[in-house]
Amino acid sequence: MARRPVSALHPIGCTCKLCQPALTPRRRLDLARTATRVLVILAVVLTIPFIVASALSGGKGDPR
């Protein structure tokens, strides 16, 4: 079989490596998304006491 030049047009549904690049493993992507969600939730949970303290000190008139 003759090799096609790189610039050759490929038919729809072509399964060559140029048309179907290797994707990152799905597991890595899921792990990255899960880690990001955990860090965001952790950041939100850790900021809640500071928000409550700020609201309480503002309600009492404490200038801190």
Side-chain angles (χ1 to χ4, degrees):
M1 178 181 234
R3 295 187 66 182
R4 287 190 277 181
V6 174
S7 63
L9 293 175
H10 294 254
I12 295 175
C14 180
T15 58
C16 73
K17 289 184 180 180
L18 292 174
C19 294
Q20 300 290 330
L23 299 175
T24 58
R26 182 80 177 153
R27 183 175 175 164
R28 272 192 197 164
L29 186 61
D30 290 341
L31 184 62
R33 285 183 181 160
T34 303
T36 303
R37 288 178 184 153
V38 167
L39 290 174
V40 168
I41 290 171
L42 185 65
V44 168
V45 168
L46 290 176
T47 58
I48 290 173
F50 295 102
I51 294 171
V52 171
S54 175
L56 290 176
S57 70
K60 292 180 182 176
D62 192 3
R64 286 188 257 168

